[in-house]
Amino acid sequence: MGFTSPGKRAAFLAGVVLMSSGAAAAQTTDYDIVIRGGRVLDGAGNPWVNADVGIKDGKIATVGTIKAKGKREIDARGRYVSPGFIDMMDQSGRVLPVNGAAENKLRQGVTTVLSGEGGTPVEASEIPAYFSKLETQGIGVNFGSYYATSQARVKVMGDVAGAPTKAQMEAMKAEVAAAMKAGVFGITSALIYPPSSFQTTADLVELAKVAGQCNGFYATHMRDESAKLVPAIEEAIEIGEKGGVKVEIYHLKNAYAPAWGTGMAKAVATIEAARKRGVDVAADMYPYPAGGTGVEITVPNWVWADGEEKGLERLKDPEIRKKLKEQLAAGSMEGWSNLVEASGGWERVVLANAHSDKYAQFHGKNFVEIGKALGLDPADAAWDIVLNAYPKRSMALYFMIDEKDIEMALRQPWTSIGSDAGAALKPGEIDDLGLPHPRSYGTFPRVIAEYVKRRPVLTLEDAVRKMTGWPAQRMGLSDRGLVRQGMKADVVVFDYETLDDVASWDNPVDYPRGIDTVIVNGRVALDKGKLEDTRAGAVLRHSCS
C-alpha cells in the first residue's frame, strides 16, 4: 500500500494514534465490579474457563482478561464463578412484603425465585399493587409469581366441592385473565389439597386456555405423586395439550414406597413420550428423601367437601374417625392420595411443627412413637394435633422418596431445581410455611455437595446448568441465567472444596458453607459471607402481549 502525498500519510498516522488512544481509554475505564481469576461456569453446561468477569450498570460487560480496575474487586482465584441460582418452586410470596431480605435464599446462592404454588397472596385485581409494593420496599432476590386456579375458584364458589356453572367458569376465567395481564407467569394447581382437589381436568383445561393466550404456564402439584403417579402426569400433560400451555410439574417424585425403583422410570418415560410428540413439559425437584406438608393431608379429602369449618367438626367425631382409619388402612382412594401409605406407614411420618406447647415435646418423633407416648392410635394422635393447632397448620415430614429415584430424576436433562420453601421471616429461623425442613436452607448447595461431590450423579457443569441456564431458558428469562456479555449480573462465587449444604433433619436452619459472594443485578448482596442488605432484586413480570 502506498501513499501519494505526505499529507495523506500524516492523516493516516493521526487516525492510528486516535484509535490506539481510544483503545487505551477503554482499557482503563472502571467497572463497577471485577471478579478476578475465577473458574467461570457459563450456566449453559460448558466446561469452565479461567477468566475475569467485569460488571457495569447491573450487567455483565466483559468475560475474559480485564486490565482495567473495578470500583470493587473480588478475588475469585481457586473458586468457581457461576450465574445466580434460580429457585423454580419458591414459597416466598407472603413473607417478602414483610421482610424482603431473603437471607436464607441468598446464602444458598439463589438470586431468582418463582413463587405461587398456592398463588399470589392477593386477589388478581390487587397483583399490580402487590408487585409495586415489593419494588418500592425492596427485595433481596428477583421475584416472579404464578396465580392459583384455586384462588379464582374460592373467590367465585367458596371452598366447597361442586362443579362450576357456566357463569361461574366465566368469572374464574376473568380472574385468570386479570392475573395474566398483571404479569404472572401462568396458573398453578395443588390438586392434592382441598379445595384445589375439587377441580376437574375439564375445569383446569378451560382456565389453562386463558393462560395460553399469553404463552403462559400450567404449573402443578399433581393430583397424586404416589400410587397414581403416571395418571397424574398424564392429566397434567392433557391440560397442557388441550389448554395450549407449557406444563411444569412441581417437585417431581416417586412418593410411594411400594413402587420404589420402578415408579420413577415410568414417570420419566411418560414425560419423555410427551416431549417427543411436541408437548412443552418439564419438571423441577428438590434433592431430599422426605417431603413436608400439613398433617391434615392424612385425612381423606371428602372430609373437607363442605368447607374447612365442617371438616374440623367431622374430625372431632369418633364414628367418623373410625371410618377414616378404615380408609387409611385401605390405601389411596379416588380424589385423595394417602401419604401415610405412600411413606410406608406412620413410623415414617414425623411431626415437624405442632404449633403448640402441648405437643412441642414430640417434634422429630414419628407418629407411632407419639401415639405410644399418648396412649393413642397414631391416627388419633395426628388428628388431635391438627385440631389443636387450628387455625395454624401442624406440619409433618413424610419420608416417602427413595434416593435411587432422586438420582434418576436428577439425571434427566429437563429437570431443574425448586426448593418448595420460602424465605425466612427472621434469619436462622424456619421459613414462612412453618415447616422445619432442610430444603429451606440447603437445597441448592446440596445439589452440588451431595450429587456432584459425594456421589457422581451429575457433573458440576450440568448441576449448575440445572440451577441457572436451563430454568432461565424455560421461563423465558432471556437476560438471566448465563455468565455472558450483556446478561443481567446475577452471579455466585463458591468454593467447591468447602461447599456443603450443612442443614439436616436435626438442624434444618443451618446456613451452608462455601458460598461467600452473591451478586444480584450487579450489586453485591453477600460479601465474604456477610450479608449486605442491598435489596437489589427486581420483580419479574411475564409479558402478555
Side-chain angles (χ1 to χ4, degrees):
M1 177 178 178
F3 294 92
T4 57
S5 71
K8 288 185 178 180
R9 178 178 177 83
F12 172 78
L13 292 173
V16 170
V17 171
L18 285 171
M19 291 173 63
S20 300
S21 62
Q27 288 181 346
T28 57
T29 299
D30 285 344
Y31 293 89
D32 295 326
I33 302 170
V34 175
I35 304 171
R36 299 280 181 191
R39 298 176 179 180
V40 177
L41 293 157
D42 67 356
N46 292 312
W48 63 266
V49 296
N50 197 288
D52 305 325
V53 177
I55 296 171
K56 182 75 172 178
D57 296 329
K59 295 183 178 181
I60 295 171
T62 304
V63 180
T65 301
I66 298 175
K67 295 182 179 180
K69 295 295 183 182
K71 296 175 184 175
R72 190 162 186 168
E73 295 269 330
I74 296 172
D75 184 357
R77 287 175 295 180
R79 293 177 291 167
Y80 287 89
V81 179
S82 88
F85 303 147
I86 298 174
D87 191 337
M88 287 287 278
M89 196 205 174
D90 169 75
Q91 299 279 12
S92 300
R94 291 186 304 176
V95 72
L96 289 180
V98 183
N99 181 356
E103 184 171 351
N104 58 313
K105 298 287 183 175
L106 288 169
R107 289 187 179 277
Q108 293 181 65
V110 172
T111 58
T112 298
V113 302
L114 283 304
S115 191
E117 178 197 22
T120 56
V122 297
E123 293 186 6
S125 62
E126 299 171 357
I127 293 173
Y130 166 70
F131 283 164
S132 294
K133 180 179 180 180
L134 292 178
E135 290 174 320
T136 301
Q137 292 185 181
I139 48 178
V141 292
N142 304 309
F143 174 84
S145 185
Y146 294 94
Y147 176 77
T149 57
S150 60
Q151 288 182 266
R153 180 185 172 93
V154 169
K155 180 173 183 180
V156 174
M157 296 179 60
D159 65 350
V160 298
T165 65
K166 184 177 180 179
Q168 287 174 327
M169 178 55 71
E170 290 304 312
M172 292 182 205
K173 287 182 177 181
E175 293 298 312
V176 172
M180 293 301 302
K181 185 177 180 181
V184 300
F185 281 79
I187 56 172
T188 57
S189 67
L191 300 178
I192 197 172
Y193 305 112
S196 187
S197 60
F198 302 142
Q199 298 169 110
T200 67
T201 305
D203 292 341
L204 294 167
V205 167
E206 288 303 303
L207 297 177
K209 288 177 181 178
V210 180
Q213 293 171 5
C214 296
N215 194 31
F217 284 81
Y218 169 65
T220 179
H221 179 145
M222 296 182 298
R223 207 173 293 276
D224 198 319
E225 298 172 327
S226 51
K228 297 181 180 179
L229 173 61
V230 169
I233 294 173
E234 290 172 340
E235 180 190 32
I237 291 168
E238 179 184 351
I239 292 165
E241 286 187 289
K242 292 181 177 178
V245 289
K246 294 169 279 191
V247 179
E248 179 72 10
I249 294 172
Y250 275 148
H251 46 54
L252 177 66
K253 63 176 78 72
N254 175 37
Y256 191 53
W260 285 353
T262 59
M264 182 55 73
K266 294 176 182 178
V268 168
T270 304
I271 295 170
E272 286 283 5
R275 289 184 62 83
K276 284 179 181 177
R277 67 174 186 266
V279 181
D280 192 348
V281 55
D284 54 70
M285 58 182 294
Y286 51 76
Y288 293 93
T293 191
V295 181
E296 85 289 340
I297 198 65
T298 62
V299 178
N301 285 341
W302 65 260
V303 172
W304 313 103
D306 297 310
E308 187 176 78
E309 186 175 338
K310 179 65 175 178
L312 292 168
E313 289 302 313
R314 285 174 175 155
L315 202 53
K316 296 174 184 176
D317 188 325
E319 288 303 311
I320 290 180
R321 283 198 179 195
K322 182 179 179 181
K323 181 179 180 179
L324 296 179
K325 291 173 192 174
E326 292 171 354
Q327 292 178 338
L328 265 175
S332 294
M333 57 192 293
E334 188 65 32
W336 174 62
S337 181
N338 186 338
L339 296 194
V340 179
E341 177 197 32
S343 300
W346 282 110
E347 64 272 15
R348 292 181 60 83
V349 181
V350 174
L351 179 64
N353 190 351
H355 287 292
S356 167
D357 292 339
K358 180 178 180 181
Y359 295 107
Q361 61 182 308
F362 299 119
H363 289 172
K365 303 290 185 182
N366 69 57
F367 279 94
V368 171
E369 295 171 320
I370 296 170
K372 286 181 179 178
L374 296 173
L376 296 171
D377 182 281
D380 286 314
W383 300 335
D384 285 352
I385 289 171
V386 169
L387 293 170
N388 183 263
Y390 186 79
K392 292 186 177 180
R393 189 182 183 204
S394 54
M395 306 296 284
L397 300 170
Y398 299 80
F399 286 84
M400 53 191 176
I401 310 164
D402 183 65
E403 280 287 351
K404 293 298 181 183
D405 289 332
I406 294 173
E407 292 179 7
M408 177 177 286
L410 274 174
R411 289 191 179 102
Q412 306 313 309
W414 36 260
T415 53
S416 56
I417 307 301
S419 68
D420 196 6
L425 181 62
K426 296 180 180 179
E429 296 188 3
I430 60 177
D431 73 0
D432 185 54
L433 296 178
L435 176 63
H437 191 301
R439 65 194 183 193
S440 300
Y441 282 70
T443 292
F444 289 83
R446 180 174 174 80
V447 171
I448 297 174
E450 183 66 27
Y451 297 96
V452 177
K453 289 174 61 175
R454 291 193 277 268
R455 42 179 146 160
V457 176
L458 301 171
T459 65
L460 177 60
E461 291 81 2
D462 197 37
V464 169
R465 181 191 68 84
K466 283 179 173 291
M467 299 188 287
T468 58
W470 164 234
Q473 181 181 12
R474 173 88 173 127
M475 299 305 300
L477 304 176
S478 59
D479 58 353
R480 299 183 191 274
L482 299 173
V483 178
R484 287 185 184 167
Q485 185 175 353
M487 304 296 283
K488 297 288 188 181
D490 296 338
V491 182
V492 176
V493 181
F494 64 88
D495 185 330
Y496 179 81
E497 297 303 321
T498 62
L499 186 70
D500 195 2
D501 46 301
V502 181
S504 65
W505 304 111
D506 293 330
N507 295 294
V509 297
D510 282 358
Y511 287 122
R513 290 193 293 266
I515 296 174
D516 51 20
T517 301
V518 178
I519 297 169
V520 180
N521 291 316
R523 298 173 65 186
V524 177
L526 190 72
D527 180 39
K528 298 178 182 177
K530 182 180 178 182
L531 184 72
E532 296 191 7
D533 199 3
T534 55
R535 309 289 174 110
V539 172
L540 306 178
R541 293 174 175 84
H542 180 72
S543 175
C544 184
S545 57

